[in-house]
Amino acid sequence: LLGSTIPLCGIKLYIPIALTPAIRMVRCISAILLAASFYFTLASASNATEQQAVSDGALPPSRIRITPKRVVGRRKSPKGKKRKLSKKGGGWTVESGACMVEKNFGTACVLSPNYPRQYGNKQKCVISLKGRKKTVVFSQFDTETWFDTLTIDGVKFSGNKRPKPCRPKKNIVWSSDFWNLDKKKGWKMCNRGGGMPKLLGVK
């Protein structure tokens, strides 16, 4: 019977010639698997070395791949319509005082000083509204009753009851006294315009 002799642990094994191709195939597959294992080991070590180099500052930041995070539920401002604070806008003009005009998403509103946080003592603002569409609508109103007032066409408003929508003919005046017993947020009035009745005084 033809075959070949293979030494194994000091013992010579006789392998028939019919099994020789199968043994060679097994050796070839083993060599391929060993090479693949060695390649993946080198790749893992290379990645770890690169990450360590970036951490140590050896590699420039351009080598770092950053994946942007997706923000859910946050509304982005439309282009060109970012929130701005100034003394004038949307028909409003703060003639004097610390009140501010807020422009946000195309809407112009006037805010009491430091809104939405507590306003200060002994403050006064004179505010004018000009233009065809000049209807005042309040989204927030919280002041010290009787002492901190917003005067519209001679009618003084205070407390936490919002004034009704109105079309002022004169300047609006805000005034706070020298002492606040309670923390009040102040007010926010906006120029919405169109189809609103004239000022209705609150008795």
Side-chain angles (χ1 to χ4, degrees):
L1 183 64
L2 297 176
S4 59
T5 303
I6 299 176
L8 180 63
C9 298
I11 303 175
K12 294 183 179 181
L13 297 179
Y14 180 79
I15 306 299
I17 194 171
L19 297 179
T20 302
I23 294 174
R24 290 178 179 176
M25 183 177 295
V26 170
R27 287 181 177 178
C28 183
I29 293 174
S30 299
I32 293 173
L33 293 177
L34 181 61
S37 176
F38 180 72
Y39 172 78
F40 285 117
T41 301
L42 288 179
S44 299
S46 176
N47 290 336
T49 303
E50 182 176 353
Q51 292 178 0
Q52 184 63 34
V54 171
S55 300
D56 296 340
L59 290 180
S62 59
R63 296 291 301 275
I64 303 174
R65 182 177 297 176
I66 301 176
T67 304
K69 295 183 179 180
R70 183 180 178 185
V71 180
V72 180
R74 180 179 298 177
R75 183 180 180 184
K76 296 183 178 180
S77 300
K79 188 175 181 180
K81 294 186 177 180
K82 296 182 180 180
R83 181 178 182 269
K84 296 181 179 179
L85 294 177
S86 62
K87 290 291 184 178
K88 188 176 182 179
W92 293 108
T93 301
V94 179
E95 305 291 349
S96 62
C99 299
M100 298 298 292
V101 178
E102 175 192 59
K103 296 181 69 176
N104 192 15
F105 300 110
T107 302
C109 303
V110 179
L111 312 177
S112 58
N114 203 39
Y115 181 88
R117 294 179 289 274
Q118 182 180 5
Y119 52 81
N121 300 329
K122 299 180 66 175
Q123 290 182 324
K124 182 178 180 180
C125 294
V126 178
I127 306 154
S128 63
L129 177 60
K130 299 179 180 180
R132 293 181 180 180
K133 297 181 179 180
K134 53 176 185 177
T135 301
V136 176
V137 179
F138 286 83
S139 60
Q140 174 69 33
F141 196 84
D142 183 26
T143 70
E144 188 178 8
T145 306
W146 304 115
F147 301 105
D148 301 336
T149 61
L150 188 69
T151 304
I152 306 176
D153 288 345
V155 181
K156 293 185 177 182
F157 299 91
S158 63
N160 54 14
K161 185 177 181 180
R162 298 179 188 177
K164 295 181 180 180
C166 59
R167 290 181 179 177
K169 298 179 180 179
K170 301 179 182 179
N171 288 346
I172 301 172
V173 179
W174 159 251
S175 178
S176 63
D177 67 352
F178 63 92
W179 187 25
N180 284 334
L181 295 176
D182 300 321
K183 292 183 178 180
K184 301 295 183 180
K185 294 182 178 180
W187 44 265
K188 178 179 180 178
M189 57 181 178
C190 303
N191 178 17
R192 299 293 172 84
M196 305 304 294
K198 293 184 178 180
L199 174 64
L200 298 175
V202 178
K203 298 182 179 180

